[in-house]
Amino acid sequence: MNRSKAFAFLLFLLPFSAAWAQVDLLISPARLELRLPPGGVWTGEVTVKNGLPKEESLSLLLTPFTLGEDGTPLPGGERDLCPHLELLPTALVLPPGGEARVRLSLRAPAGEGTYACMVFFTGTPRVLERGLALSVRPQVGLAVYATLEGTERPAFKAQVGGEGRALPLLLENPGNVLLRLSGEVRILSLQGEEVARLGFADLPLLPGGRRRLALEPEPPLPPGRYRAVLLASTPYGEYAAEGVWVVP
């Protein structure tokens, strides 16, 4: 991997923070989750605000993405919405403390389920550190999801339990639509007494994706064997799963 490609990949792995390497951008809305009929068309706008007291030049780029098992956005993905999305403008200059609007146009892809694309707002290069010749281009990402109405096949699987001080969870999406998960795990003694509740919220899980979690109670539980009952909520319904958790 050459240096330019390596740093492009590094920037993709960085969290999409609104402030990094002296860039301060606010994108509103923070994400777009759209529902379209097959063959449907959608148009809308997002607002970009510059929080710095200096001018900021931005270029806009559409990039397919998927989510890693830790929730990190990664380049690639089979359900690519980018060829069906158009931006206007594709470059802009924000005055100090100013804002601008970007128009998005989308035509529903032919297919089923949910498709995704990341809109990158890329700033001008910054020197990473004084005296270092290396420079980086900070990026802020807007995730766009589109689900084709009437084609949804939601499904959910979970593996609950294992061994460790934190409760292992493996969440899987074998369906064809984006799942946004919230829920809790109720921890019970083998006698049925509830001893803890561990919650999570707003976890996106793309079609075919997996998410690993390690939930640690506070205070820690004494060593022993426990029942772990997962209750998860999605826009398509409620799910439950159960397993055994061994705390060493």
Side-chain angles (χ1 to χ4, degrees), residues 174-197:
N176 71 350
V177 290
L178 170 71
L179 297 180
R180 193 164 288 279
L181 295 161
S182 297
E184 65 178 12
V185 184
R186 298 179 182 178
I187 309 301
L188 310 173
S189 69
L190 296 184
Q191 291 72 41
E193 177 186 1
E194 184 174 303
V195 296
R197 291 194 180 192

Side-chain angles (χ1 to χ4, degrees), residues 103-242:
R103 183 178 179 84
L104 284 74
S105 300
L106 172 65
R107 182 174 295 276
E112 297 182 347
T114 300
Y115 294 78
C117 179
M118 188 71 71
V119 182
F120 272 128
F121 296 78
T122 304
T124 54
R126 266 75 163 171
V127 175
L128 194 59
E129 188 174 324
R130 180 174 295 180
L132 194 62
L134 184 65
S135 66
V136 295
R137 292 174 64 87
Q139 295 180 320
V140 178
L142 169 71
V144 182
Y145 306 94
T147 299
L148 303 180
E149 294 177 329
T151 69
E152 304 97 325
R153 289 184 284 104
F156 177 71
K157 292 172 58 179
Q159 296 180 27
V160 183
E163 184 172 355
R165 300 299 298 175
L167 170 67
L169 288 181
L170 175 60
L171 311 177
E172 300 183 75
N173 181 359
N176 71 350
V177 290
L178 170 71
L179 297 180
R180 193 164 288 279
L181 295 161
S182 297
E184 65 178 12
V185 184
R186 298 179 182 178
I187 309 301
L188 310 173
S189 69
L190 296 184
Q191 291 72 41
E193 177 186 1
E194 184 174 303
V195 296
R197 291 194 180 192
L198 308 174
F200 57 91
D202 200 31
L203 296 181
L205 196 56
L206 286 168
R210 294 153 55 103
R211 184 72 179 266
R212 292 187 184 273
L213 301 177
L215 305 180
E216 190 166 358
E218 184 61 43
L221 293 178
R225 294 173 64 88
Y226 299 90
R227 289 177 56 209
V229 180
L230 167 67
L231 303 173
S233 175
T234 79
Y236 299 94
E238 310 292 322
Y239 298 90
E242 182 175 335

Side-chain angles (χ1 to χ4, degrees), residues 1 31 45 90 144 159 221:
M1 180 179 293
R31 66 173 183 255
E45 290 184 335
T90 58
V144 182
Q159 296 180 27
L221 293 178

Side-chain angles (χ1 to χ4, degrees), residues 3 16 43 68 113 170:
R3 178 168 297 185
F16 298 125
T43 58
L170 175 60

Side-chain angles (χ1 to χ4, degrees), residues 21-36:
Q22 299 182 350
V23 65
D24 189 351
L25 299 176
L26 175 65
I27 312 297
S28 180
R31 66 173 183 255
L32 289 172
E33 295 187 7
L34 310 173
R35 298 183 61 83
L36 287 81

Side-chain angles (χ1 to χ4, degrees), residues 53-115:
K54 63 177 183 178
E55 183 178 273
E56 182 70 70
S57 298
L58 297 175
S59 58
L60 280 64
L61 178 67
L62 300 175
T63 304
F65 78 100
T66 187
L67 296 173
E69 291 191 357
D70 61 353
T72 301
L74 299 173
E78 296 180 357
R79 294 178 164 270
D80 184 7
L81 185 65
C82 297
H84 311 278
L85 192 60
E86 294 183 357
L87 306 174
L88 188 66
T90 58
L92 51 90
V93 177
L94 296 176
E99 66 177 60
R101 295 181 183 274
V102 177
R103 183 178 179 84
L104 284 74
S105 300
L106 172 65
R107 182 174 295 276
E112 297 182 347
T114 300
Y115 294 78

